[in-house]
Amino acid sequence: MRHRMYGRKFSMDTEHRRAMFRNLAAGFFEHGQITTTLPKAKAVQPFVEKIITLAKRGDLHARRRTIQLLRDRIMCDDESKIERDRYGEVSKGPKLVRHIFENVGPRFADRNGGYTRIVKLAKNRIGDGSQLVVLQMVGDEQGPEIGGRRSPRRVAKQRRRDFASKAQSKAQAEPAAAEG
């Protein structure tokens, strides 16, 4: 029986599950949305919403609690904004918790919950066929928030798109020049 049992186990021990939730939540706040499986999205959604509620409070205890839950990390797409010490370790840079408290918390100041939504995608994961969903902030239909580093695959795909559109426009312009 499942009386008084909360949450999903995902066949992981507690530390692994907490680390997975931290990483999913950090990626969610960094990019504004994440694509994951339906069970993981349903499990991490309350975790994310609690962090947003803490950010709405905005006091010191809420900030410390958020740092404890997320293990604050540096997020930046511009290497020049990151300062390193003499050993090459990152010493300063834009922090995730600061972003949550300055941008995400005030955005939902007048909302009493329901900060996220789960949108089911019409595709399944190739390896095991599990259903993919997008976990995103309500009112953030425009796409990623700040976006970390750009994926090399996305950059290459964008280059292919640009090349194909340029070749297509050139091919359409050549027959018009031959006729005229």
Side-chain angles (χ1 to χ4, degrees), residues 138-149:
V138 172
D140 191 26
E141 291 80 18
Q142 302 303 322
E145 184 140 321
I146 39 177
R149 295 182 196 100

Side-chain angles (χ1 to χ4, degrees), residues 74-85 88-94 147-150:
I74 292 183
M75 47 174 237
C76 188
D77 56 351
D78 186 9
E79 197 66 32
S80 64
K81 293 182 182 177
I82 297 176
E83 295 179 23
R84 299 185 181 276
D85 62 6
E89 298 293 323
V90 175
S91 61
K92 289 184 182 176
R149 295 182 196 100
R150 294 208 48 192

Side-chain angles (χ1 to χ4, degrees), residues 1-7 9:
M1 287 190 241
R2 284 191 42 86
H3 298 297
R4 299 180 69 170
M5 306 264 303
Y6 174 75
K9 300 266 186 204

Side-chain angles (χ1 to χ4, degrees), residues 85-151:
D85 62 6
R86 62 182 177 173
Y87 302 110
E89 298 293 323
V90 175
S91 61
K92 289 184 182 176
K95 297 283 189 161
L96 182 63
V97 173
R98 184 183 316 144
H99 167 71
I100 293 169
F101 276 78
E102 290 177 0
N103 300 332
V104 178
R107 184 189 318 177
F108 296 111
D110 57 340
R111 193 175 181 96
N112 290 329
Y115 314 114
T116 60
R117 74 165 63 96
I118 295 176
V119 180
K120 294 181 180 178
L121 299 177
K123 60 183 178 179
N124 295 342
R125 196 162 58 188
I126 294 172
D128 59 357
S130 60
Q131 185 175 11
L132 293 177
V133 298
V134 173
L135 179 65
Q136 62 181 197
M137 291 185 201
V138 172
D140 191 26
E141 291 80 18
Q142 302 303 322
E145 184 140 321
I146 39 177
R149 295 182 196 100
R150 294 208 48 192
S151 167

